[in-house]
Amino acid sequence: MRHFLTLNDLSKDEIFDILDLAIQIKKDAKKHIYTPYLHEQTLAMIFEKSSTRTRVSFDVGMHQLGGKALFLSSKDIQLGRGEPVKDTARVLGRMVDMIMARVYKQSDLEELAKFSGVPVINGLSDDFHPVQLMADLLTLVEFGLNLNEMKVAYIGDGNNMTHSWLMAASKIGFELSIATPKGYEPNSNIVAIAMQNAKQSGAKISFSLDPKIAIKDADVVTTDTWISMGQEDEKAKRINDFKGFCVDSDMMKLAKPNAIFLHCLPAYRDHEVSEEVFEDHANEIFSEAENRLHAQKAVMVWCDRKRNE
């Protein structure tokens, strides 16, 4: 049984295997060829957090793979009324073939994986967003970057996206430069895991409080919202704390010419990214959004194959 909870659980070769599969699946989809890899299988989709891209991409993706997706809001199932996660896991595992969960706590995903008996995919947690990273990596491959040799600059909050970039860089071996305001650094335990991985992969990972230092000569610049779901009460404070961290045209000039800009969306213009930079890189950003569909189909097929090996 293989789950997809964090990129730290995968080897570099496995990450590239999923990307190769995603490239082929997308190539076929553009020709309206939909191989039923998951014929008549059912995906349970648990949502504690609202979503556009995650819900649509997994729902449509499962349909294109020949299966069915079942949307389960936490308000609709007993999990939202206090049923232990392990009991929900054991019930669903007897009824469905795979579970995707978009939750607050990473520990809930781990408990689903432990007790369900079916593959569990992390659709997002407060700690990691690995399916987004697979879409990001797929997008960078399509735009001609060498994942082994690129430099990525992450500018903003040390959140689940930062953690996922840390896992990706430390497994693949590319350079990652992170800039966050003081007090918003990534989780120290996750940083420690990444730095240990980097000893094996050769990844160069650095941290700064100055975005202009991090972005210098970057091939890829990426950011995320400063106010994630559940942080709305901190909005005014966060906007103040993140002054100087908006990726605008002047900041982008410090990156390499023709540097790619990514944003996992939703984007809040003139907060984490300027309107001008967003629109100048809209093709990259919305290719990235589209690739959630194809990358996640590949993740589901990979999980199914690993289960049957």
Side-chain angles (χ1 to χ4, degrees):
M1 183 68 60
R2 290 301 300 273
H3 306 285
F4 192 82
L5 305 183
T6 163
L7 294 184
N8 190 51
D9 298 334
L10 279 66
S11 67
K12 176 178 178 177
D13 286 344
E14 287 175 324
I15 293 172
F16 277 79
D17 285 346
I18 295 172
L19 288 174
D20 288 342
L21 182 57
I23 290 168
Q24 184 59 54
I25 286 175
K26 182 175 182 179
K27 181 179 178 181
D28 289 344
K30 293 301 182 182
K31 299 177 182 177
H32 299 286
I33 299 171
Y34 301 106
T35 303
Y37 293 105
L38 303 181
H39 178 66
E40 291 301 320
Q41 292 196 35
T42 302
L43 171 73
M45 305 188 302
I46 299 173
F47 284 86
E48 288 185 346
K49 294 185 174 185
S50 60
S51 168
T52 299
R53 283 151 291 278
T54 300
R55 180 173 179 179
V56 174
S57 55
F58 272 106
D59 200 333
V60 173
M62 195 62 179
H63 173 74
Q64 292 180 352
L65 293 171
K68 298 177 177 64
L70 179 64
F71 174 78
L72 300 172
S73 164
S74 59
K75 297 178 182 179
D76 299 328
I77 58 177
Q78 296 299 327
L79 186 63
R81 298 176 62 188
E83 180 175 61
V85 174
K86 62 183 179 181
D87 290 358
T88 296
R90 287 183 284 201
V91 169
L92 291 178
R94 291 168 180 255
M95 296 183 179
V96 304
D97 301 285
M98 198 175 296
I99 298 170
M100 184 283 297
R102 183 176 172 92
V103 298
Y104 288 95
K105 296 189 292 185
Q106 183 74 14
S107 59
D108 285 349
L109 287 161
E110 293 166 358
E111 194 154 5
L112 282 169
K114 180 178 180 180
F115 288 97
S116 67
V118 298
V120 174
I121 298 170
N122 181 355
L124 176 142
S125 73
D126 284 349
D127 288 341
F128 297 104
H129 198 0
V131 289
Q132 178 65 57
L133 254 290
M134 295 307 298
D136 292 358
L137 295 174
L138 175 59
T139 305
L140 297 178
V141 169
E142 290 180 338
F143 277 89
L145 270 73
N146 183 334
L147 300 187
N148 293 293
E149 299 178 359
M150 65 183 181
K151 176 184 177 180
V152 177
Y154 181 92
I155 311 297
D157 191 11
N159 59 12
N160 52 9
M161 283 301 298
T162 324
H163 297 160
S164 295
W165 276 108
L166 278 165
M167 293 300 99
S170 69
K171 286 288 184 171
I172 295 173
F174 58 82
E175 182 177 355
L176 175 65
S177 184
I178 295 171
T180 64
K182 187 174 180 57
Y184 293 90
E185 298 87 351
N187 182 286
S188 59
N189 293 327
I190 295 172
V191 170
I193 294 170
M195 300 309 288
Q196 186 63 37
N197 291 343
K199 293 178 181 178
Q200 178 69 29
S201 68
K204 182 180 178 182
I205 300 173
S206 59
F207 303 89
S208 173
L209 299 178
D210 186 347
K212 294 179 181 179
I213 293 175
I215 203 171
K216 184 172 175 56
D217 296 326
D219 300 288
V220 182
V221 180
T222 184
T223 187
D224 188 14
T225 177
W226 299 338
I227 304 103
S228 298
M229 281 176 280
Q231 298 174 336
E232 289 81 3
D233 291 345
E234 307 171 28
K235 182 176 180 179
K237 181 179 186 303
R238 281 177 165 265
I239 289 174
N240 182 68
D241 291 347
F242 280 83
K243 285 181 179 177
F245 278 78
C246 178
V247 180
D248 57 19
S249 296
D250 287 339
M251 194 180 293
M252 281 297 294
K253 289 176 183 177
L254 300 174
K256 287 184 180 178
N258 301 317
I260 291 172
F261 177 80
L262 297 179
H263 194 303
C264 62
L265 301 178
Y268 298 92
R269 272 70 155 194
D270 299 322
H271 285 171
E272 71 270 12
V273 59
S274 70
E275 174 76 16
E276 182 179 6
V277 168
F278 187 94
E279 292 302 330
D280 284 347
H281 295 269
N283 184 45
E284 296 153 18
I285 294 167
F286 289 102
S287 294
E288 175 190 10
E290 177 193 350
N291 280 336
R292 287 290 301 277
L293 171 64
H294 308 294
Q296 288 164 188
K297 284 187 287 185
V299 168
M300 289 189 284
V301 173
W302 180 84
C303 286
D304 182 64
R305 288 178 175 177
K306 288 294 181 181
R307 174 175 53 181
N308 294 318
E309 283 183 354

